[in-house]
Amino acid sequence: MKLVKATEEHLLSVMEWVKDPDVFSIWAGPNFRYPFDQQSFIEDIKLYNDKLVNRVLVKDNTPLAFGQIYDRVGRTQLSRLIVNPDYQGQGIGTELISRLLELGHECLDTADYSLFVMKDNPRAKKLYESLGFVETEYPEAMPMENCDYMVKKQDTNDA
């Protein structure tokens, strides 16, 4: 498996994974239009925003998972994490997060990692907890309703 820069072709695959409104509502976060078309999806995922690092985990040219990282309140923020539905339950989410943590350590000048998880997504929260993320109070006004803010301290295993 390789973690590579997400192309438009990759994002069109991701778009298929989130067509269901319930999946979309857990995944997208604020300011993402629904229903979407190809153009609005690419625009809203901010493929060309230089503050976001968009990556896809691929194996044999098949996109397995997608995620973003960026600096948010001095931490490497993980966002819009998703695993291809055909590959869920196979450790791909753990692999994606591990690779994104490594990438964040390499390319962002931050201490620690963070993410938001919707309260109605217990499966994701359980995964994040197993990787060392703990629920923490967000240091600013919470940008989304019905979600928890989780932080993982940077340690030598992340370097």
Side-chain angles (χ1 to χ4, degrees):
M1 285 183 271
K2 294 180 185 178
L3 188 68
V4 299
K5 185 175 181 177
T7 65
E8 260 189 52
E9 184 178 332
H10 292 134
L11 294 179
L12 295 179
S13 293
V14 173
M15 187 176 80
E16 293 299 316
W17 305 343
V18 298
K19 277 190 168 182
D20 179 274
D22 294 331
V23 173
F24 179 83
S25 69
I26 290 173
W27 173 80
N31 306 317
F32 209 114
R33 292 170 280 184
Y34 190 90
F36 52 77
D37 58 27
Q38 288 183 359
Q39 181 178 345
S40 71
F41 189 87
I42 298 296
E43 289 171 1
D44 291 352
I45 209 163
K46 300 180 181 177
L47 175 64
Y48 303 108
N49 182 333
D50 62 358
K51 293 180 182 179
L52 289 172
V53 178
N54 296 291
R55 292 293 185 266
V56 63
L57 191 63
V58 297
K59 183 176 181 181
D60 300 327
N61 295 321
T62 300
L64 303 177
F66 171 83
Q68 298 175 315
I69 60 171
Y70 61 98
D71 182 335
R72 183 177 193 131
V73 297
R75 295 184 173 111
T76 297
Q77 176 78 14
L78 285 71
S79 67
R80 295 192 178 126
L81 305 172
I82 190 163
V83 174
N84 179 331
D86 294 337
Y87 295 90
Q88 291 179 357
Q90 299 178 32
I92 303 298
T94 298
E95 185 68 23
L96 172 68
I97 293 168
S98 296
R99 301 271 184 110
L100 289 173
L101 295 180
E102 289 173 15
L103 182 63
H105 181 75
E106 293 169 10
C107 71
L108 298 175
D109 185 23
T110 60
D112 307 329
Y113 311 99
S114 59
L115 53 79
F116 293 103
V117 60
M118 300 306 290
K119 291 182 184 290
D120 54 356
N121 193 356
R123 185 174 173 192
K125 187 169 185 178
K126 184 177 177 180
L127 170 63
Y128 305 147
E129 289 171 339
S130 76
L131 295 172
F133 285 87
V134 294
E135 190 175 334
T136 306
E137 188 172 328
Y138 188 63
E140 299 176 347
M142 196 65 147
M144 296 180 291
E145 293 182 17
N146 193 36
C147 71
D148 295 320
Y149 180 66
M150 301 184 80
V151 170
K152 175 180 171 55
K153 297 291 183 188
Q154 192 175 83
D155 59 40
T156 54
N157 295 330
D158 300 328

